[in-house]
Amino acid sequence: MDTPALLLSGFAAALQPMNLLFALIGCLLGTLIGVLPGVGPSAGTAILIPLTFALEPTPAIIMLAAIYYGAMYGGTITSVLINTPGEAASAVTCLDGYQMARHGRAGTALAIAAIGSFIGGTAAVAALVMVALPLSNLALRFGPPEFFGLMLIGLSMVTGLAGQSMVRALLSAVIGLFVAMIGIDPVQGAPRFTFGVIQLLSGLNIVPVVMGLFGISEILLNIESSSRQVFETKMSSLVPSRQDLRRSTGAILRGTGIGLFLGLVPGIGTMIPTFISYVVEKRVSKEPEKFGTGMIEGVAGPETANNAYANAAMIPLFTLGIPTSPTLAILMGAFMMNGLIPGPLLFTQHAGFVWAVIASMVVGNIILLVLNLPLIPMWVSVLKIPYSMLFAFILGFAVVGAYSVDNSIFGVGVMVVFGLLGYAFKKLDIPLAPFALTLILGPMMEKALRQSLEMSGGDLSVFYTRPLTATLIVLAAVVLVVNTVPAFSKVKADSQL
Amino acid sequence: MKRPYQITALVVLLLAGFLAQESLRLRYYTSLGPGPGFFPFWLSALMAFLGGAMFWRATFGVVEAKPADFLADRRGCLRIAAVVGGLLGVILLMEPLGFRLTMFGFYLFILAALGRQGWLTAGIVSLSGSVGVYHVFVHWLSVPLPIGVLGI
C-alpha cells in the first residue's frame, strides 16, 4: 500500500469510538498537565503511563501521544492568564500573552494560540506522513552495525541537551547508561550490578525510574516553597477580530516553518523554537518596540512554533527510533512496554498501529482546537484547587503506577530512590534529559555494538567498511562537534571574564 | 556552588571506583568481541574522568553563584521529609495493610503536612484517593492492588 492508502486506513482506525475516546482523554489529561505549573510534560506523561496498562497498544500510545501534545496546548493557558508558564515552552508566551490579558484580551490571546497550535501541529503531522515511508524504507537496510551508528547519533544528541555545563550533562548520561545496564547482560546472559537482589535481575523498569526522576523530584522542588499564584485575570471574548487574524497569519506561517525545521534537529529542546520565533517576529515587525506590551504576533508565532516542534519531533522517533527530548524518550519507553520498538521496522511489522497513531495526531489536534477554548473556564477553576490536594493526588497516582508496573512494592521503592536522585540533580543543575535518553538508547546501542562485533568476528573494520555505517558514525561525530565546540568556547569565554 | 560541586565530584569519583571494581569481576572480552564487563569498565573510567573534571572546575574554574533557594528553609525541609517519610511508610505498610487502608492514611498525612484542610475535606479526598482509586484500577482497568491482612 502507498502512503495515502495507509493514512486512510490509519484514519479509519483512529476514528473508531474507543480510539477516539482515548485521544480525547489524552488531550484532556495533557491539557491538565500543561495547565498545572510545576508538573511538566515529562513528569506528567511518566506519571500517567500506568493508566494505559490495561489498554491495547494502539489506544495506549494514542492516549500517551495526546497527553504529550495536549500538554503543549495547556501550558499556554497559565502563561496568558496568570503569567506562569505551565511548561517551559510556554515561557515566552508570558511576555505578550499576559500583557494582552491585562488589557482584557485574554480570550483573543488564547484563541490565537489555539489556532496557531492547530495549524503548526497539523503541518508537522503532514510532514511526518510525507517522509515516514521514504525514511523508514532507507532504515530498513540497516543491520546491527548501522543500528549502532544510529544509536551513536542518538547518544551524541546528549551533548545538545547540555544546559550550562557539558561535564554535568555527560555525567548525567553516564549515570543513565549505568542504570540501564542493571540486570542480565543482553548478549551473554551474565548478571550485572544486581548485588544479589532478585528483583534487579530483570533490570530496572523504566516507568518507576522516570516517574521518580521527573515526577517525584518536581513535586519535592515545588513543596519546598509554600507560595502560590492567585488567579485574578478576567476572561474576554474568545473570538479574534479580523485585524487580529490578519496580523497573526504571517506569524503563524513563520512559526510553523521554524517549529517544523527545529523539530528535526536533535537536542534542541522545547524552549528554543519558541524563543527563535519570538525574535523573528520582533525583527520582521514594523513596531518592534511594542513587543512585550501585548502584541498578538508575540503569542501567535511562538505558540505555533511550539506545537509544530512537538509534532515534528515525532518524525525521528517514528522513522529512526531516536527520541529528541526527555518526553519522547518516555514515550519511547511506553512503546517498548507494549512490545513495540520505534523505528523503520514499525512501519512494516506494525503498519496498522503506526498509521493509526499518526492519524490520531491529526484528530487530536482537532479535538484540542474544538474542546479547549470552551473549556478554558474549567481549566482556570482547576488552578483554584489547593496545591496540597493536587500534590497528594499526584503522589497517590504515582504510587499506584509504580506498584502496578510489576505488581510489586519494589517499584515504589525504585521511584522514591530516583525521585531523590532527580531532586539532587535539579539542585545541582545536572540536566535530567541526557539520563532519560541514555536510559533508553544505551542498552540498544550496546546490543548493536556487540552483535556487530560478533558478526565480524571481533573485527572493528565492520564500522568503516560499510558505507551506511560509516556515514552514520561520521554524522554522529558531526553532531558531537557541533554541540560541544560552542559549549567549550563558552567555557573559555567564561574563564576569561 | 563551589562546595556542593566538590562534594558531588568526590562522590562521583568514589562511585566510579566502585563500579570499575565491579566491572572487572565480569568478563572483559570474549573471542566474539566485548564481554559483559567491557562497557561498564570504560563507562566507569569516563565517569571518573568527569568526576575529576567537575572537581577541577569547582576548585580552580569560575565559581557559579549558588541560587538563593539552593537549600530549602526549615518548613521546606519538613515538607520534603514528610513526603519522603510518607512514601517510605507506604513501602513498609502497603503489603501488610493493603492498598486502601495504607493510602487512606497516606493521604490524611500528606494533606495535614502540606496544607490546612478541614477534616471533612481531608476525609473526602483521602477516601476518593484510596477507595476510589482502588475501585477504578482494580475493577475498571483490571490492575491488581494489594489486599492486606484485614481483608481490605
Side-chain angles (χ1 to χ4, degrees):
Chain A
M1 279 204 283
D2 54 0
T3 301
L6 287 164
L7 186 62
L8 278 178
S9 68
F11 272 112
L15 291 171
Q16 281 177 9
M18 284 310 281
N19 289 340
L20 210 51
L21 175 69
F22 286 111
L24 175 67
I25 294 171
C27 287
L28 291 174
L29 288 173
T31 310
L32 177 66
I33 287 166
V35 164
L36 295 175
V39 186
S42 310
T45 310
I47 287 170
L48 292 173
I49 283 178
L51 269 185
T52 64
F53 284 168
L55 302 179
E56 292 291 314
T58 307
I61 301 300
I62 282 177
M63 186 167 142
L64 288 171
I67 289 171
Y68 167 61
Y69 51 74
M72 296 299 176
Y73 270 80
T76 314
I77 297 173
T78 46
S79 293
V80 171
L81 296 179
I82 60 171
N83 203 22
T84 303
E87 37 86 33
S90 298
V92 76
T93 308
C94 291
L95 299 174
D96 281 277
Y98 183 61
Q99 290 303 322
M100 283 181 75
R102 287 185 65 185
H103 296 139
R105 282 164 44 82
T108 309
L110 290 169
I112 280 296
I115 293 166
S117 297
F118 169 74
I119 294 171
T122 309
V125 178
L128 169 60
V129 168
M130 282 189 279
V131 302
L133 278 188
L135 255 182
S136 58
N137 283 340
L138 170 75
L140 273 177
R141 290 160 54 193
F142 288 8
E146 285 78 20
F147 268 111
F148 171 72
L150 201 58
M151 293 301 117
L152 213 56
I153 292 178
L155 284 183
S156 61
M157 287 174 194
V158 162
T159 52
L161 298 171
Q164 285 201 321
S165 161
M166 187 60 71
V167 170
R168 297 202 286 271
L170 290 174
L171 188 61
S172 172
V174 168
I175 296 173
L177 280 169
F178 265 115
V179 171
M181 276 183 197
I182 294 172
I184 299 281
D185 150 53
V187 178
Q188 291 185 339
R192 288 193 297 198
F193 308 116
T194 56
F195 309 109
V197 180
I198 295 167
Q199 287 96 331
L200 289 178
L201 281 175
S202 53
L204 286 175
N205 194 300
I206 194 165
V207 174
V209 174
V210 293
M211 279 167 96
L213 272 181
F214 290 95
I216 300 297
S217 67
E218 262 184 50
I219 290 174
L220 292 178
L221 277 181
N222 274 293
I223 58 170
E224 266 186 11
S225 61
S226 54
S227 63
R228 65 159 301 181
Q229 293 276 350
V230 179
F231 175 72
E232 287 172 353
T233 314
K234 285 184 179 162
M235 284 294 296
S236 60
S237 164
L238 291 169
V239 184
S241 67
R242 188 172 287 184
Q243 193 197 6
D244 288 329
L245 287 173
R246 188 175 50 77
R247 290 177 60 180
S248 303
T249 306
I252 288 173
L253 291 175
R254 285 184 289 273
T256 301
I258 291 167
L260 196 56
F261 173 69
L262 293 179
L264 304 174
V265 181
I268 283 288
T270 52
M271 283 181 79
I272 292 173
T274 56
F275 274 95
I276 289 180
S277 168
Y278 190 81
V279 170
V280 167
E281 290 315 313
K282 204 172 171 179
R283 286 252 173 93
V284 300
S285 174
K286 288 175 184 164
E287 306 164 306
E289 72 285 354
K290 286 190 179 174
F291 271 73
T293 62
M295 293 285 275
I296 199 161
E297 296 93 326
V299 175
E303 281 303 318
T304 307
N306 177 16
N307 258 51
Y309 168 83
N311 284 270
M314 297 275 195
I315 296 174
L317 177 71
F318 273 81
T319 54
L320 302 172
I322 297 178
T324 52
S325 71
T327 316
L328 287 175
I330 292 165
L331 198 60
M332 187 166 170
F335 270 73
M336 289 154 84
M337 279 181 60
N338 281 286
L340 303 158
I341 308 288
L345 289 176
L346 205 60
F347 285 85
T348 51
Q349 293 175 350
H350 304 281
F353 158 81
V354 76
W355 286 103
V357 174
I358 291 172
S360 82
M361 287 160 65
V362 178
V363 177
N365 275 300
I366 295 170
I367 290 174
L368 285 169
L369 181 67
V370 174
L371 271 190
N372 262 0
L373 292 178
L375 289 183
I376 284 169
M378 185 187 88
W379 300 125
V380 167
S381 61
V382 167
L383 290 167
K384 293 176 180 168
I385 298 173
Y387 269 23
S388 57
M389 240 183 252
L390 282 175
F391 287 141
F393 264 116
I394 295 170
L395 284 168
F397 213 79
V399 166
V400 178
Y403 178 87
S404 51
V405 170
D406 292 320
N407 293 326
S408 157
I409 204 72
F410 184 75
V412 183
V414 169
M415 179 183 77
V416 174
V417 168
F418 281 92
L420 290 170
L421 184 70
Y423 174 78
F425 270 35
K426 285 176 179 173
K427 280 285 176 185
L428 292 163
D429 198 20
I430 299 174
L432 287 175
F435 189 116
L437 206 64
T438 53
L439 186 68
I440 304 273
L441 294 181
M444 293 160 77
M445 188 186 79
E446 186 187 5
K447 194 175 172 187
L449 171 70
R450 290 171 64 181
Q451 281 179 341
S452 307
L453 288 171
E454 280 188 14
M455 211 170 86
S456 67
D459 185 2
L460 285 170
S461 68
V462 72
F463 296 116
Y464 55 84
T465 50
R466 294 164 69 109
L468 209 50
T469 312
T471 310
L472 289 167
I473 290 174
V474 168
L475 270 176
V478 170
V479 172
L480 205 65
V481 170
V482 166
N483 285 329
T484 48
V485 167
F488 281 111
S489 307
K490 187 176 172 289
V491 171
K492 201 175 167 187
D494 286 349
S495 61
Q496 286 170 348
L497 287 174
Chain B
M1 290 288 276
K2 185 175 177 174
R3 191 67 72 210
Y5 283 129
Q6 283 177 331
I7 295 168
T8 308
L10 289 175
V11 172
V12 168
L13 283 168
L14 280 174
L15 187 64
F18 172 72
L19 290 170
Q21 191 188 19
E22 285 295 312
S23 309
L24 289 172
R25 291 184 185 173
L26 300 162
R27 283 188 75 184
Y28 178 77
Y29 218 83
T30 69
S31 55
L32 293 172
F38 179 87
F39 251 116
F41 176 77
W42 286 107
L43 270 182
S44 42
L46 178 59
M47 189 187 251
F49 171 76
L50 292 170
M54 185 183 263
F55 189 85
W56 178 269
R57 280 200 67 188
T59 310
F60 304 109
V62 180
V63 181
E64 288 177 36
K66 194 189 281 184
D69 58 350
F70 181 73
L71 290 176
D73 59 15
R74 190 174 165 272
R75 285 190 67 187
C77 287
L78 284 175
R79 286 167 176 222
I80 291 173
V83 168
V84 176
L87 289 170
L88 291 177
V90 166
I91 293 169
L92 290 172
L93 299 174
M94 177 98 96
E95 284 180 337
L97 290 184
F99 177 84
R100 282 167 285 191
L101 206 53
T102 309
M103 291 310 286
F104 184 78
F106 174 76
Y107 275 105
L108 279 181
F109 175 69
I110 292 295
L111 287 171
L114 298 187
R116 290 180 183 276
Q117 268 81 45
W119 281 107
L120 184 66
T121 312
I124 292 169
V125 170
S126 303
L127 263 182
S128 55
S130 54
V131 180
V133 167
Y134 181 89
H135 188 81
V136 169
F137 271 81
V138 173
H139 298 294
W140 293 0
L141 298 173
S142 306
V143 174
L145 292 170
I147 294 171
V149 286
L150 300 174
I152 50 172

